[in-house]
Amino acid sequence: MVACSLACWRCRWLLPLLLGLAIIMGIIALAGRGWLESESAPYVHQASLWESCTRGEQDLNWNCESLMDYGWGRAAAATYLVGFVILVICFALAVIAFSIEILRFNFVRGIGGLLFVVAAFQIIGLVIYPVKFTEDIPLTGANMFSWAYGFGWASTVVVIGCAFFFCCLPNWEDEVLGNIKPTYYYSSPDRAPYLN
């Protein structure tokens, strides 16, 4: 019988593992220079959460301008960074919660609530950035929001999924703790002739 959902003791580390994955994607989003890039050659524009860089078609050096000079740049960076810090705290709390022998399920539900807060902060930062960037920064040629921006959204989607699972996990408290015996359904060949 294979029945390993999130409500079993063996699989309890899946949620902290997913939070760790969200942290890795968040680090890539925070450090990556691929929030906005030129879509095709000549590559004259690239931007991160922190700065916007341009260069001439024949120039090899990037001229960078800090986005922290703009109020929306500080707001986008602050909201995404606050969400990331709370995500790291939630990861540490999840590891602690799943390490102790007797889980505190209200504690687990609280982690789920904090993860919804993380998702809200990250979404705010991820929405402010492209809206205000395209309004205030002059763009040349065809540009696209690229891989690092995508990692920011991927981290947010994983956080939202984990938040739902952390909030719902206490509903399966007995199964996770092993307090109930599994139910097996067997039928004899006389009662189920269609199995022959």
Side-chain angles (χ1 to χ4, degrees):
M1 179 178 170
V2 178
C4 187
S5 63
L6 286 177
C8 76
W9 190 248
R10 293 181 308 271
C11 302
R12 68 183 172 178
W13 291 106
L14 286 177
L15 289 174
L17 182 67
L18 286 172
L19 288 180
L21 181 66
I23 288 172
I24 291 169
M25 290 186 286
I27 290 170
I28 292 170
L30 286 168
R33 294 193 87 184
W35 279 59
L36 182 125
E37 293 180 336
S38 296
E39 191 170 328
S40 59
Y43 299 104
V44 295
H45 201 164
Q46 72 176 6
S48 69
L49 181 60
W50 313 103
E51 62 186 4
S52 174
C53 299
T54 57
R55 68 178 177 187
E57 290 184 24
Q58 303 302 323
D59 194 6
L60 296 178
N61 298 325
W62 292 96
N63 300 320
C64 296
E65 169 190 15
S66 176
L67 295 178
M68 299 301 108
D69 296 336
Y70 298 95
W72 60 265
R74 290 189 301 272
T79 54
Y80 194 84
L81 196 58
V82 165
F84 180 77
V85 169
I86 297 172
L87 174 61
V88 172
I89 292 168
C90 287
F91 174 74
L93 292 175
V95 169
I96 291 167
F98 287 112
S99 294
I100 58 178
E101 198 61 36
I102 299 173
L103 292 173
R104 304 282 184 228
F105 280 93
N106 290 333
F107 183 60
V108 170
R109 191 167 275 156
I111 294 170
L114 275 176
L115 288 173
F116 280 117
V117 172
V118 168
F121 274 112
Q122 288 185 340
I123 288 171
I124 290 169
L126 289 167
V127 169
I128 290 173
Y129 183 86
V131 170
K132 297 305 286 182
F133 192 98
T134 55
E135 283 181 11
D136 291 349
I137 305 293
L139 301 174
T140 55
N143 295 284
M144 64 179 176
F145 289 96
S146 191
W147 59 272
Y149 183 70
F151 272 106
W153 276 109
S155 174
T156 304
V157 168
V158 170
V159 165
I160 291 170
C162 286
F164 279 111
F165 280 117
F166 270 100
C167 285
C168 295
L169 193 60
N171 296 339
W172 297 302
E173 179 178 1
D174 290 332
E175 288 88 348
V176 173
L177 294 176
N179 293 336
I180 62 172
K181 295 181 180 178
T183 304
Y184 298 100
Y185 297 99
Y186 296 105
S187 60
S188 66
D190 298 336
R191 292 188 177 180
Y194 54 86
L195 293 177
N196 293 336

